[in-house]
Structure formats: structure tokens, C-alpha cells
């Protein structure tokens, strides 16, 4: 008798309130806010004079905008062969509301960078960096990207010291980036 009463009650609830009986369908991907939108302006092939030579930051989306791929190259000049300095991906973390990332530094060296990317209210992008070498020693760095035009930006690469923040290399606090289009 109890089973029949429980079944009748469940049927009545299902008829009266279908929302209780059936879970709502997952929200369509196109209806969700795009967490990568603040980073859209950074996607591209960026070049700069940095330190003693050339710096190239190649930033692109992965399949279906599921992550952002970063590849950074250096060279003694724009015409010299480029050397891969670091590469990795940044992925949206819905819990923290920032991009988590992991980069292999000097691939094969055993060094890595990890941390977060966050978008500031003024549109600038901050990359908080923990660099860990193959022996486990670490350092703290910060890279900031500020858009200055449709195809231009300023980036700074700073390291944390006992006395505060300082450029990672001479001129590292004000690197002019230019986007190249194919």
C-alpha cells in the first residue's frame, strides 16, 4: 500500500510541477557569458624589441575557445632564428574567475611557470607568475599587458625582490608590442 501511495504522490507532483520532475536542460554554450571575452584583444602575433633582442608573443585560442595557447620566442634580432622561450596554456577556472596557466620554460630544462591571468576593470591583463626551476627553486614575477591601440600594447615584465618590484631585464618595465597580421 505504501509503495502505491508513494508512486501516486510522485506522479501527482510530476503532473502538477514538471520542473520538479525533470531537470532543466544545461544552458546552451552560446547563452553563457564568455569568460575569455576580456582577453580577446590580446589574441594575436605580437612583436617587440625586448632586452638585448626581439620578443614575440604568439597568443591564440585552442579549439572551441576552450583555452588560450601562449608561445613566447626570443631572438637576437628580427631576422635571426627564433628560440622558443616558453609555451603553455591558460584555462578558465569557473570557481576562481581567472585563467589558470602552466607554461614549460625553456622546453626540456625542467623549469615551469604557473599562476593566473586576470583582467582588470581598466582592460589591462595581469599575469601572476611563479617560476620554478628544475631544482625546485622559485621566484615571483608579474607581467602586465595594457592596450594602447588596435594593434599596439605595452607590456612590463617585473620580478619581485626583497625591496619591491623591478624590471626582469633592462627596459622590461615598458616594452612596446605591435601586432602583426598575416
Amino acid at each position: 500500500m505504501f509503495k502505491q501511495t508513494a508512486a501516486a504522490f510522485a506522479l501527482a507532483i510530476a503532473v502538477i510541477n514538471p520542473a520538479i520532475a525533470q531537470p532543466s536542460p544545461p544552458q546552451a554554450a552560446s547563452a553563457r557569458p564568455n569568460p575569455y571575452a576580456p582577453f580577446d584583444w590580446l589574441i594575436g602575433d605580437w612583436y617587440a624589441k625586448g632586452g638585448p633582442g626581439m620578443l614575440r608573443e604568439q597568443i591564440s585560442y585552442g579549439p572551441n575557445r576552450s583555452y588560450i595557447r601562449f608561445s613566447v620566442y626570443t631572438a637576437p634580432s628580427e631576422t635571426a632564428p627564433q628560440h622558443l622561450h616558453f609555451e603553455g596554456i591558460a584555462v578558465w577556472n569557473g570557481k576562481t574567475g581567472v585563467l589558470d596557466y602552466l607554461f614549460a620554460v625553456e622546453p626540456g630544462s625542467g623549469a615551469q611557470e604557473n599562476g593566473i591571468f586576470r583582467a582588470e576593470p581598466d582592460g589591462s591583463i595581469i599575469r601572476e607568475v611563479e617560476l620554478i626551476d628544475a631544482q625546485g627553486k622559485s621566484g615571483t614575477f608579474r607581467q602586465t599587458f595594457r592596450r594602447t591601440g588596435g594593434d599596439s600594447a605595452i607590456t612590463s615584465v617585473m620580478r619581485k625582490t626583497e625591496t619591491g618590484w623591478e624590471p626582469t631585464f633592462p627596459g622590461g618595465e615598458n616594452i612596446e608590442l605591435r601586432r602583426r597580421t598575416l
Side-chain angles (χ1 to χ4, degrees):
M1 180 72 171
F2 178 75
K3 289 183 182 178
Q4 290 173 333
T5 304
F9 181 72
L11 180 61
I13 293 294
V15 170
I16 294 169
N17 192 350
I20 293 174
Q22 301 202 5
S24 58
Q27 189 177 20
S30 61
R32 287 187 210 135
N34 176 1
Y36 292 100
F39 304 92
D40 282 346
W41 73 265
L42 196 55
I43 302 300
D45 199 5
W46 297 90
Y47 288 80
K49 290 186 179 184
M54 185 277 304
L55 173 70
R56 177 183 183 192
E57 299 206 26
Q58 199 172 37
I59 306 167
S60 61
Y61 281 115
N64 297 318
R65 293 173 68 129
S66 56
Y67 60 88
I68 298 176
R69 178 184 306 114
F70 284 79
S71 301
V72 175
Y73 301 87
T74 59
S77 70
E78 283 193 48
T79 57
Q82 296 178 11
H83 166 78
L84 181 60
H85 176 50
F86 65 73
E87 186 169 61
I89 65 170
V91 179
W92 177 253
N93 182 325
K95 183 176 180 180
T96 61
V98 296
L99 300 181
D100 294 330
Y101 75 88
L102 180 61
F103 296 162
V105 178
E106 299 296 327
S109 72
Q112 70 171 5
E113 287 185 358
N114 66 71
I116 64 165
F117 277 89
R118 71 176 186 275
E120 296 292 301
D122 68 358
S124 60
I125 305 296
I126 309 293
R127 181 171 75 97
E128 300 288 354
V129 181
E130 179 184 25
L131 173 66
I132 303 169
D133 71 15
Q135 289 75 43
K137 295 179 188 169
S138 66
T140 303
F141 297 83
R142 176 179 292 148
Q143 183 174 17
T144 302
F145 297 90
R146 291 183 182 84
R147 189 177 194 174
T148 57
D151 291 324
S152 62
I154 299 288
T155 190
S156 62
V157 184
M158 309 292 281
R159 66 181 165 163
K160 190 171 187 179
T161 67
E162 291 177 7
T163 59
W165 293 95
E166 64 182 44
T168 302
F169 51 83
E173 72 279 13
N174 192 34
I175 303 166
E176 293 181 32
L177 294 170
R178 296 280 175 212
R179 183 187 344 249
R180 293 212 178 143
T181 54
L182 300 175

